[in-house]
Protein backbone atom coordinates (compact mmCIF):
# COMPACT_ATOMS: atom_id res chain seq x y z
CA UNK A 1 0.00 0.00 0.00
CA UNK A 2 1.12 3.55 -0.68
CA UNK A 3 1.40 6.23 1.96
CA UNK A 4 1.45 10.02 1.95
CA UNK A 5 4.92 11.54 2.17
CA UNK A 6 5.71 14.36 4.55
CA UNK A 7 6.71 16.54 1.59
CA UNK A 8 7.39 16.30 -2.12
CA UNK A 9 9.96 17.77 -4.47
CA UNK A 10 8.95 19.30 -7.79
CA UNK A 11 11.09 19.05 -10.91
CA UNK A 12 10.82 19.78 -14.65
CA UNK A 13 11.44 17.72 -17.78
CA UNK A 14 11.54 19.78 -20.98
CA UNK A 15 11.40 17.89 -24.27
CA UNK A 16 12.59 20.78 -26.48
CA UNK A 17 9.38 20.71 -28.51
CA UNK A 18 9.63 22.59 -31.77
CA UNK A 19 6.97 25.13 -32.77
CA UNK A 20 5.32 25.82 -36.10
CA UNK A 21 7.21 28.48 -38.03
CA UNK A 22 10.20 28.49 -35.64
CA UNK A 23 13.66 26.95 -36.21
CA UNK A 24 14.66 23.82 -34.32
CA UNK A 25 17.59 25.61 -32.71
CA UNK A 26 15.22 28.01 -30.99
CA UNK A 27 13.60 25.08 -29.18
CA UNK A 28 16.96 24.11 -27.71
CA UNK A 29 17.70 27.67 -26.65
CA UNK A 30 14.21 27.86 -25.14
CA UNK A 31 15.06 24.78 -23.06
CA UNK A 32 18.18 26.43 -21.66
CA UNK A 33 16.28 29.64 -20.90
CA UNK A 34 13.53 27.68 -19.17
CA UNK A 35 16.12 25.91 -17.02
CA UNK A 36 17.34 29.27 -15.72
CA UNK A 37 13.79 30.33 -14.89
CA UNK A 38 12.79 27.15 -13.07
CA UNK A 39 16.04 27.24 -11.09
CA UNK A 40 15.09 30.73 -9.95
CA UNK A 41 11.63 29.42 -9.00
CA UNK A 42 13.13 26.77 -6.73
CA UNK A 43 12.52 23.54 -8.67
CA UNK A 44 14.70 20.60 -7.65
CA UNK A 45 15.80 19.14 -11.01
CA UNK A 46 15.74 20.04 -14.68
CA UNK A 47 15.91 17.15 -17.13
CA UNK A 48 16.04 16.90 -20.93
CA UNK A 49 14.91 14.07 -23.21
CA UNK A 50 16.10 11.96 -26.15
CA UNK A 51 14.15 11.62 -29.39
CA UNK A 52 15.59 10.72 -32.79
CA UNK A 53 14.25 11.74 -36.18
CA UNK A 54 11.10 13.37 -34.78
CA UNK A 55 10.03 16.62 -36.52
CA UNK A 56 8.40 17.92 -33.34
CA UNK A 57 11.36 17.43 -30.98
CA UNK A 58 14.77 19.09 -31.24
CA UNK A 59 16.31 17.24 -28.28
CA UNK A 60 18.22 14.39 -29.88
CA UNK A 61 21.44 14.50 -27.82
CA UNK A 62 20.48 14.73 -24.14
CA UNK A 63 23.95 14.65 -22.60
CA UNK A 64 25.06 17.48 -24.89
CA UNK A 65 21.97 19.53 -24.02
CA UNK A 66 22.37 18.72 -20.32
CA UNK A 67 25.89 20.15 -20.48
CA UNK A 68 24.51 23.40 -21.92
CA UNK A 69 21.84 23.54 -19.21
CA UNK A 70 24.34 22.86 -16.44
CA UNK A 71 26.64 25.57 -17.79
CA UNK A 72 23.77 28.09 -17.79
CA UNK A 73 22.62 27.32 -14.23
CA UNK A 74 24.28 27.19 -10.82
CA UNK A 75 22.36 25.13 -8.26
CA UNK A 76 19.56 23.08 -9.85
CA UNK A 77 20.24 19.40 -10.48
CA UNK A 78 20.52 18.61 -14.20
CA UNK A 79 19.94 15.32 -15.94
CA UNK A 80 18.25 13.25 -18.58
CA UNK A 81 14.75 11.91 -18.79
CA UNK A 82 16.23 9.98 -20.24
CA UNK A 83 19.10 8.59 -22.20
CA UNK A 84 17.58 5.62 -24.06
CA UNK A 85 20.13 3.00 -23.16
CA UNK A 86 19.28 0.49 -25.94
CA UNK A 87 20.35 3.15 -28.47
CA UNK A 88 23.90 3.41 -27.06
CA UNK A 89 26.85 1.44 -25.80
CA UNK A 90 26.88 1.52 -21.97
CA UNK A 91 30.61 2.27 -21.96
CA UNK A 92 30.08 5.50 -23.94
CA UNK A 93 27.12 6.51 -21.75
CA UNK A 94 29.27 6.03 -18.64
CA UNK A 95 32.01 8.20 -20.14
CA UNK A 96 29.54 10.95 -21.04
CA UNK A 97 28.02 11.11 -17.56
CA UNK A 98 31.47 10.89 -16.01
CA UNK A 99 32.44 14.01 -17.94
CA UNK A 100 29.24 15.80 -16.92
CA UNK A 101 29.68 14.93 -13.24
CA UNK A 102 33.33 15.97 -13.33
CA UNK A 103 32.44 19.34 -14.84
CA UNK A 104 29.43 19.96 -12.58
CA UNK A 105 30.08 17.87 -9.44
CA UNK A 106 27.09 16.99 -7.29
CA UNK A 107 24.51 18.28 -9.78
CA UNK A 108 24.14 15.55 -12.42
CA UNK A 109 21.40 12.88 -12.63
CA UNK A 110 21.42 9.90 -14.98
CA UNK A 111 17.84 9.12 -16.02
CA UNK A 112 17.74 6.03 -18.22
CA UNK A 113 14.99 4.66 -20.47
CA UNK A 114 14.50 1.50 -22.50
CA UNK A 115 12.92 2.81 -25.72
CA UNK A 116 14.50 2.38 -29.14
CA UNK A 117 13.98 4.47 -32.27
CA UNK A 118 10.31 4.85 -33.22
CA UNK A 119 10.70 3.98 -36.91
CA UNK A 120 12.56 1.34 -38.91
CA UNK A 121 14.63 4.05 -40.58
CA UNK A 122 15.74 5.56 -37.29
CA UNK A 123 16.59 2.14 -35.86
CA UNK A 124 18.68 1.34 -38.94
CA UNK A 125 20.47 4.67 -38.59
CA UNK A 126 21.18 3.90 -34.94
CA UNK A 127 22.30 0.37 -35.77
CA UNK A 128 19.70 -1.13 -33.43
CA UNK A 129 16.95 -3.73 -33.82
CA UNK A 130 13.42 -3.36 -32.53
CA UNK A 131 14.09 -5.94 -29.81
CA UNK A 132 17.14 -4.08 -28.42
CA UNK A 133 15.02 -2.97 -25.45
CA UNK A 134 14.71 -6.60 -24.34
CA UNK A 135 18.29 -6.43 -23.05
CA UNK A 136 17.74 -3.28 -20.99
CA UNK A 137 18.33 -4.94 -17.60
CA UNK A 138 21.67 -6.32 -18.77
CA UNK A 139 22.62 -3.00 -20.38
CA UNK A 140 21.78 -1.21 -17.13
CA UNK A 141 23.92 -3.60 -15.10
CA UNK A 142 26.80 -3.15 -17.54
CA UNK A 143 26.53 0.64 -17.31
CA UNK A 144 26.52 0.69 -13.52
CA UNK A 145 29.48 -1.67 -13.50
CA UNK A 146 31.59 0.94 -15.25
CA UNK A 147 30.91 3.40 -12.43
CA UNK A 148 31.77 0.78 -9.79
CA UNK A 149 34.87 -0.43 -11.64
CA UNK A 150 33.51 -3.98 -11.84
CA UNK A 151 33.05 -4.38 -15.59
CA UNK A 152 34.07 -7.87 -16.76
CA UNK A 153 35.39 -6.28 -19.98
CA UNK A 154 38.45 -5.04 -18.14
CA UNK A 155 37.85 -1.59 -19.62
CA UNK A 156 37.74 1.46 -17.38
CA UNK A 157 35.29 4.26 -18.15
CA UNK A 158 37.14 7.44 -17.33
CA UNK A 159 36.36 9.75 -15.64
CA UNK A 160 33.19 7.87 -14.62
CA UNK A 161 34.80 5.13 -12.52
CA UNK A 162 34.35 5.84 -8.83
CA UNK A 163 31.84 8.66 -9.33
CA UNK A 164 28.37 8.51 -7.76
CA UNK A 165 26.07 9.85 -10.49
CA UNK A 166 22.53 9.01 -9.29
CA UNK A 167 20.80 6.64 -11.75
CA UNK A 168 17.02 6.63 -12.30
CA UNK A 169 14.95 4.17 -14.34
CA UNK A 170 12.11 5.48 -16.49
CA UNK A 171 9.49 2.82 -15.86
CA UNK A 172 7.15 1.82 -18.63
CA UNK A 173 5.75 -1.70 -18.55
CA UNK A 174 8.30 -3.98 -16.92
CA UNK A 175 10.54 -1.04 -16.10
CA UNK A 176 9.18 -1.01 -12.54
CA UNK A 177 10.47 -4.53 -11.99
CA UNK A 178 13.86 -3.67 -13.45
CA UNK A 179 14.16 -0.59 -11.21
CA UNK A 180 13.16 -2.62 -8.15
CA UNK A 181 15.61 -5.45 -8.83
CA UNK A 182 18.46 -3.01 -9.48
CA UNK A 183 17.60 -0.99 -6.36
CA UNK A 184 17.27 2.28 -8.24
CA UNK A 185 14.89 5.25 -8.02
CA UNK A 186 11.98 4.99 -10.46
CA UNK A 187 10.26 7.59 -12.63
CA UNK A 188 6.76 6.53 -13.63
CA UNK A 189 4.01 8.08 -15.82
CA UNK A 190 1.61 8.92 -16.98
CA UNK A 191 -0.99 10.79 -14.96
CA UNK A 192 -3.71 9.83 -17.44
CA UNK A 193 -3.82 6.24 -16.20
CA UNK A 194 -3.75 6.54 -12.42
CA UNK A 195 -4.72 2.92 -11.74
CA UNK A 196 -1.83 1.64 -13.82
CA UNK A 197 0.50 4.13 -12.17
CA UNK A 198 -0.53 3.04 -8.67
CA UNK A 199 -0.08 -0.63 -9.57
CA UNK A 200 3.39 0.11 -10.92
CA UNK A 201 4.36 2.03 -7.78
CA UNK A 202 3.10 -0.70 -5.46
CA UNK A 203 4.86 -3.38 -7.52
CA UNK A 204 8.11 -1.41 -7.40
CA UNK A 205 7.96 -0.92 -3.64
CA UNK A 206 7.04 -4.55 -2.98
CA UNK A 207 9.97 -5.86 -5.03
CA UNK A 208 12.61 -3.24 -4.22
CA UNK A 209 16.04 -4.51 -3.23
CA UNK A 210 18.40 -2.07 -1.47
CA UNK A 211 21.54 -1.32 -3.46
CA UNK A 212 24.64 0.88 -3.24
CA UNK A 213 22.63 3.43 -5.22
CA UNK A 214 19.51 3.57 -3.03
CA UNK A 215 18.76 2.13 0.41
CA UNK A 216 14.99 2.40 -0.03
CA UNK A 217 12.45 2.98 -2.80
CA UNK A 218 12.24 6.42 -4.35
CA UNK A 219 9.27 7.23 -6.58
CA UNK A 220 9.01 10.09 -9.05
CA UNK A 221 5.62 10.48 -10.77
CA UNK A 222 5.64 12.35 -14.06
CA UNK A 223 3.12 14.00 -16.35
CA UNK A 224 1.55 17.20 -17.62
CA UNK A 225 0.56 19.85 -15.11
CA UNK A 226 -0.91 23.14 -16.41
CA UNK A 227 -1.77 26.05 -14.11
CA UNK A 228 -3.41 29.33 -15.12
CA UNK A 229 -5.71 32.06 -13.82
CA UNK A 230 -8.80 30.20 -15.09
CA UNK A 231 -9.61 26.59 -15.96
CA UNK A 232 -10.17 27.64 -19.58
CA UNK A 233 -6.70 29.21 -19.83
CA UNK A 234 -5.14 26.09 -18.32
CA UNK A 235 -6.98 23.92 -20.86
CA UNK A 236 -5.62 26.04 -23.72
CA UNK A 237 -2.11 25.19 -22.58
CA UNK A 238 -2.91 21.55 -23.35
CA UNK A 239 -4.31 22.20 -26.83
CA UNK A 240 -1.09 22.27 -28.96
CA UNK A 241 0.31 19.01 -27.54
CA UNK A 242 -3.11 17.30 -27.71
CA UNK A 243 -3.35 18.20 -31.39
CA UNK A 244 0.20 17.04 -32.18
CA UNK A 245 -0.47 13.70 -30.47
CA UNK A 246 -3.78 13.32 -32.35
CA UNK A 247 -2.04 14.11 -35.63
CA UNK A 248 0.74 11.61 -34.96
CA UNK A 249 -1.74 8.85 -34.25
CA UNK A 250 -3.78 9.52 -37.39
CA UNK A 251 -0.97 10.46 -39.83
CA UNK A 252 2.08 8.63 -38.48
CA UNK A 253 4.32 11.65 -37.87
CA UNK A 254 4.72 13.85 -34.79
CA UNK A 255 4.60 17.51 -35.90
CA UNK A 256 5.79 20.77 -34.31
CA UNK A 257 3.42 22.43 -31.87
CA UNK A 258 0.83 24.75 -33.46
CA UNK A 259 -0.68 27.79 -31.69
CA UNK A 260 -3.82 26.94 -29.69
CA UNK A 261 -5.95 29.33 -31.76
CA UNK A 262 -4.86 27.60 -34.98
CA UNK A 263 -5.91 24.23 -33.59
CA UNK A 264 -9.27 25.52 -32.41
CA UNK A 265 -10.09 26.85 -35.89
CA UNK A 266 -9.18 23.64 -37.73
CA UNK A 267 -11.66 21.24 -39.26
CA UNK A 268 -10.96 17.74 -37.96
CA UNK A 269 -12.07 14.34 -39.13
CA UNK A 270 -14.09 12.30 -36.64
CA UNK A 271 -11.02 10.20 -35.87
CA UNK A 272 -8.81 13.26 -35.36
CA UNK A 273 -11.42 14.89 -33.16
CA UNK A 274 -11.71 11.79 -30.98
CA UNK A 275 -7.92 11.56 -30.56
CA UNK A 276 -7.68 15.26 -29.89
CA UNK A 277 -10.37 15.25 -27.18
CA UNK A 278 -8.73 12.20 -25.64
CA UNK A 279 -5.43 14.10 -25.52
CA UNK A 280 -7.02 16.89 -23.49
CA UNK A 281 -8.19 14.59 -20.70
CA UNK A 282 -6.49 13.00 -17.72
CA UNK A 283 -3.90 15.69 -17.05
CA UNK A 284 -3.69 17.94 -14.01
CA UNK A 285 -4.88 21.35 -15.19
CA UNK A 286 -6.73 24.29 -13.67
CA UNK A 287 -6.31 27.16 -11.26
CA UNK A 288 -3.78 27.04 -8.44
CA UNK A 289 -6.45 25.89 -5.99
CA UNK A 290 -7.69 23.13 -8.32
CA UNK A 291 -4.18 21.91 -9.11
CA UNK A 292 -3.18 21.93 -5.45
CA UNK A 293 -6.12 19.69 -4.61
CA UNK A 294 -5.34 17.29 -7.47
CA UNK A 295 -1.67 17.10 -6.56
CA UNK A 296 -2.51 16.43 -2.91
CA UNK A 297 -4.66 13.53 -4.06
CA UNK A 298 -1.95 12.22 -6.40
CA UNK A 299 0.71 12.33 -3.69
CA UNK A 300 -1.57 10.63 -1.20
CA UNK A 301 -2.48 7.88 -3.67
CA UNK A 302 1.09 7.15 -4.79
CA UNK A 303 3.22 8.19 -1.82
CA UNK A 304 5.63 9.68 -4.37
CA UNK A 305 8.60 11.64 -3.12
CA UNK A 306 8.77 13.78 -6.27
CA UNK A 307 6.70 15.13 -9.16
CA UNK A 308 8.39 15.55 -12.55
CA UNK A 309 6.37 17.98 -14.68
CA UNK A 310 6.54 17.43 -18.45
CA UNK A 311 4.28 20.16 -19.85
CA UNK A 312 4.79 21.34 -23.44
CA UNK A 313 2.89 24.11 -25.22
CA UNK A 314 3.31 26.66 -28.03
CA UNK A 315 3.00 29.80 -25.89
CA UNK A 316 6.26 30.05 -23.96
CA UNK A 317 5.05 33.02 -21.90
CA UNK A 318 2.00 31.04 -20.74
CA UNK A 319 4.21 28.02 -20.04
CA UNK A 320 6.50 30.04 -17.79
CA UNK A 321 3.50 31.55 -16.02
CA UNK A 322 2.23 28.00 -15.42
CA UNK A 323 5.54 27.04 -13.84
CA UNK A 324 5.48 30.18 -11.67
CA UNK A 325 2.01 29.34 -10.42
CA UNK A 326 2.97 25.70 -9.88
CA UNK A 327 6.00 26.78 -7.83
CA UNK A 328 3.63 28.65 -5.52
CA UNK A 329 1.48 25.51 -5.22
CA UNK A 330 4.55 23.38 -4.56
CA UNK A 331 5.67 25.67 -1.74
CA UNK A 332 2.37 24.95 0.03
CA UNK A 333 2.69 21.20 -0.49
CA UNK A 334 6.20 20.94 0.96
Amino acid sequence: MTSEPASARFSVLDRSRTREGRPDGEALRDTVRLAREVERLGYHRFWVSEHHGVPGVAGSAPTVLAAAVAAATRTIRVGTGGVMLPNHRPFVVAEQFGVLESLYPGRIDMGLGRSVGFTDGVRRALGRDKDAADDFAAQLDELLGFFRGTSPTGAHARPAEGLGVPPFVLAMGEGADIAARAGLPMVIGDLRNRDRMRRGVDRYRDRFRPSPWAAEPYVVVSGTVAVAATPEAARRLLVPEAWSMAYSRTHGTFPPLPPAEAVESRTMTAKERARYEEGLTGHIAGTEEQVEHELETLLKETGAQEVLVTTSTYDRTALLDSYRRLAAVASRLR
Side-chain angles (χ1 to χ4, degrees), residues 175-190:
D177 285 347
I178 294 172
R181 287 196 300 269
L184 300 181
M186 177 185 71
V187 183
I188 187 166
D190 66 65

Side-chain angles (χ1 to χ4, degrees), residues 113-160:
R114 60 189 298 268
S115 296
V116 292
F118 292 140
T119 67
D120 290 338
V122 168
R123 287 191 291 271
R124 284 196 299 272
L126 290 169
R128 295 294 184 267
D129 296 323
K130 198 170 186 178
D131 60 0
D134 296 343
D135 297 327
F136 177 70
Q139 294 160 353
L140 179 63
D141 186 61
E142 182 181 352
L143 171 63
L144 298 181
F146 286 119
F147 283 92
R148 295 191 300 262
T150 59
S151 171
T153 65
H156 297 273
R158 308 195 189 280

Side-chain angles (χ1 to χ4, degrees), residues 12-16 27-41 43 46-47 69 73 76 309 311-312 316 319-321 323-324:
V12 174
L13 166 66
D14 191 72
R15 290 180 293 140
S16 304
L28 298 171
R29 292 188 291 273
D30 283 342
T31 292
V32 175
R33 283 191 287 266
L34 181 61
R36 292 195 195 103
E37 293 293 338
V38 301
E39 177 180 62
R40 184 177 60 80
L41 292 169
Y43 285 87
F46 188 91
W47 283 5
V69 169
T73 55
I76 195 169
V309 183
T311 310
S312 298
R316 300 296 296 189
L319 178 64
L320 181 55
D321 181 65
Y323 278 122
R324 287 194 188 104

Side-chain angles (χ1 to χ4, degrees), residues 69 145 166 184 214 269 294 302 306 308:
V69 169
L184 300 181
T269 66
E294 287 200 52
T302 62
E306 191 167 338
L308 180 67

Side-chain angles (χ1 to χ4, degrees), residues 20 231-244 257-268 273 276-277 280 313:
E20 280 188 2
E232 294 75 22
R235 183 184 183 277
R236 281 176 63 82
L237 282 166
L238 305 177
V239 164
E241 183 79 359
W243 165 250
S244 290
L257 295 172
E261 56 270 22
V263 173
E264 292 167 339
S265 65
R266 285 178 181 168
T267 301
M268 303 183 197
R273 174 66 64 180
Y276 169 64
E277 295 293 343
L280 291 171
T313 196

Side-chain angles (χ1 to χ4, degrees), residues 4 10 191-192 194 197-198 221 224-227 231 234 238 280-302 307 326 329 333:
E4 185 175 5
F10 281 76
L191 300 178
R192 298 172 62 195
R194 303 289 179 86
M197 177 183 282
R198 284 192 296 268
V221 292
T224 295
V225 182
V227 197
L238 305 177
L280 291 171
T281 62
H283 309 290
I284 294 179
T287 64
E288 290 183 32
E289 293 76 13
Q290 290 170 324
V291 167
E292 183 173 351
H293 173 72
E294 287 200 52
L295 286 170
E296 282 179 329
T297 301
L298 173 69
L299 293 170
K300 183 175 181 180
E301 289 177 347
T302 62
V307 180
L326 180 57
V329 171
L333 292 173

Side-chain angles (χ1 to χ4, degrees), residues 31-84:
T31 292
V32 175
R33 283 191 287 266
L34 181 61
R36 292 195 195 103
E37 293 293 338
V38 301
E39 177 180 62
R40 184 177 60 80
L41 292 169
Y43 285 87
H44 183 59
R45 309 179 203 276
F46 188 91
W47 283 5
V48 297
S49 64
E50 175 183 331
H51 296 274
H52 297 286
V54 180
V57 184
S60 56
T63 54
V64 177
L65 185 53
V69 169
T73 55
R74 295 192 312 160
T75 58
I76 195 169
R77 297 197 64 86
V78 176
T80 56
V83 164
M84 296 301 143

